[in-house]
Amino acid sequence: MEKIYKTMQGTGVINIVIGSVIITVGLAAGVMAIVSGAFLLKRKSDITF
């Protein structure tokens, strides 16, 4: 039984790490999208089609 509990503990730790990485990447992507959108809005008068 102890082996099962150690396996479950390892799985829980891995899930927490993966979740933290996903949150960090999501926040970074969101910030980059906001910055690039603000840059486009700032220079919209320079854009011609």
Side-chain angles (χ1 to χ4, degrees):
M1 288 302 261
E2 187 175 330
K3 188 174 182 180
I4 293 172
Y5 288 120
K6 288 189 181 220
T7 302
M8 291 173 64
Q9 181 182 11
T11 303
V13 169
I14 290 172
N15 285 337
I16 290 172
V17 169
I18 290 173
S20 299
V21 169
I22 289 173
I23 288 172
T24 304
V25 169
L27 284 174
V31 168
M32 289 183 345
I34 291 171
V35 168
S36 66
F39 182 73
L40 285 173
L41 286 174
K42 181 179 175 186
R43 313 238 18 233
K44 70 179 178 182
S45 61
D46 296 340
I47 298 172
T48 57
F49 290 99

